[in-house]
Amino acid sequence: GDSVTQMEGPVTLSEEAFLTINCTYTATGYPSLFWYVQYPGEGLQLLLKATKADDKGSNKGFEATYRKETTSFHLEKGSVQVSDSAVYFCAPYLGNLIFGKGTKLSVKP
Amino acid sequence: GAVVSQHPSRVICKSGTSVKIECRSLDFQATTMFWYRQFPKQSLMLMATSNEGSKATYEQGVEKDKFLINHASLTLSTLTVTSAHPEDSSFYICSALQGEATDTQYFGPGTRLTVL
């Protein structure tokens, strides 16, 4: 069945470090792909999306590229900040959003 | 744009009482809204899909008589937890689709329900 596998956390980085959070999915067809971010005590915010193969979504310095061949949508940021500390969810749209388990990121000053 | 609000943000109630949570799309009309439940340190679980003017569609394992959903207008959906019990304590999050030909959901800030 349709599913999403997300890199398990927690991930702890120092400020200005490079971030990668892996996400792969299994599905028939080519779903739109989303990354959502949840800051402590809050709901989810849309971070970025990509709707077709080779599209790159980007926002707030984060990027993710829709890789059809590897069914992946890895999230990257070149230089993280303390304010990026949050839980990140990968979610392909397969009729409904299917959420990964989330990856908690902690950025230390 | 695309702001979704929820009210209340936190609620504490006694076991056996009912609690209503409101989800509003503030600057757009939402034909479809969704209700999710999130347990501590876990992902979101879709509970139901709410369509304006029609009955909600519940996911398998979700009791429709316990979690009543009403989507009476294009900007408001409500979730009522009836006869709440401590195991219903959770973080409830709604989302809304902006328009019909879209797959982008905008989420509310969530409601923390604690049942004593």
Side-chain angles (χ1 to χ4, degrees), chain A residues 32 34 36 38 43-44 49 99-100, chain B residues 38 43 103-105 107-109:
Chain A
S32 294
F34 297 81
Y36 282 89
Q38 185 176 31
L44 273 68
K49 64 180 281 190
F99 285 92
Chain B
Q38 186 180 30
S43 189
D103 51 15
T104 301
Q105 294 182 28
F107 285 79

Side-chain angles (χ1 to χ4, degrees), chain A residues 32 34 36 38 41-46 49 51 89 93 96-97 99-102, chain B residues 34 36 38 42-44 46 49 59 91 93 102-110:
Chain A
S32 294
F34 297 81
Y36 282 89
Q38 185 176 31
E42 299 182 14
L44 273 68
Q45 298 178 25
L46 176 63
K49 64 180 281 190
T51 58
F89 292 93
Y93 184 81
N96 289 309
L97 283 174
F99 285 92
K101 292 186 176 180
Chain B
F34 302 88
Y36 294 84
Q38 186 180 30
Q42 294 190 27
S43 189
L44 278 73
L46 178 64
T49 301
E59 295 300 302
F91 195 50
I93 305 175
T102 179
D103 51 15
T104 301
Q105 294 182 28
Y106 293 90
F107 285 79

Side-chain angles (χ1 to χ4, degrees), chain B residues 17-103:
Chain B
T17 61
S18 294
V19 174
K20 180 185 285 188
I21 303 170
E22 294 185 348
C23 176
R24 293 182 185 272
S25 55
L26 298 185
D27 51 1
F28 65 100
Q29 293 185 330
T31 306
T32 303
M33 291 183 170
F34 302 88
W35 287 97
Y36 294 84
R37 183 171 179 177
Q38 186 180 30
F39 293 98
K41 300 183 180 180
Q42 294 190 27
S43 189
L44 278 73
M45 180 191 78
L46 178 64
M47 298 175 66
T49 301
S50 170
N51 293 295
E52 186 268 336
S54 63
K55 291 183 177 180
T57 302
Y58 290 81
E59 295 300 302
Q60 190 173 8
V62 178
E63 299 176 61
K64 61 180 181 181
D65 294 330
K66 180 166 188 62
F67 298 100
L68 300 179
I69 292 172
N70 184 280
H71 193 157
S73 78
L74 287 172
T75 59
L76 172 65
S77 176
T78 60
L79 169 67
T80 301
V81 183
T82 62
S83 186
H85 291 283
E87 57 266 30
D88 298 325
S89 298
S90 193
F91 195 50
Y92 292 88
I93 305 175
C94 73
S95 70
L97 285 178
Q98 186 185 23
E100 295 184 4
T102 179
D103 51 15

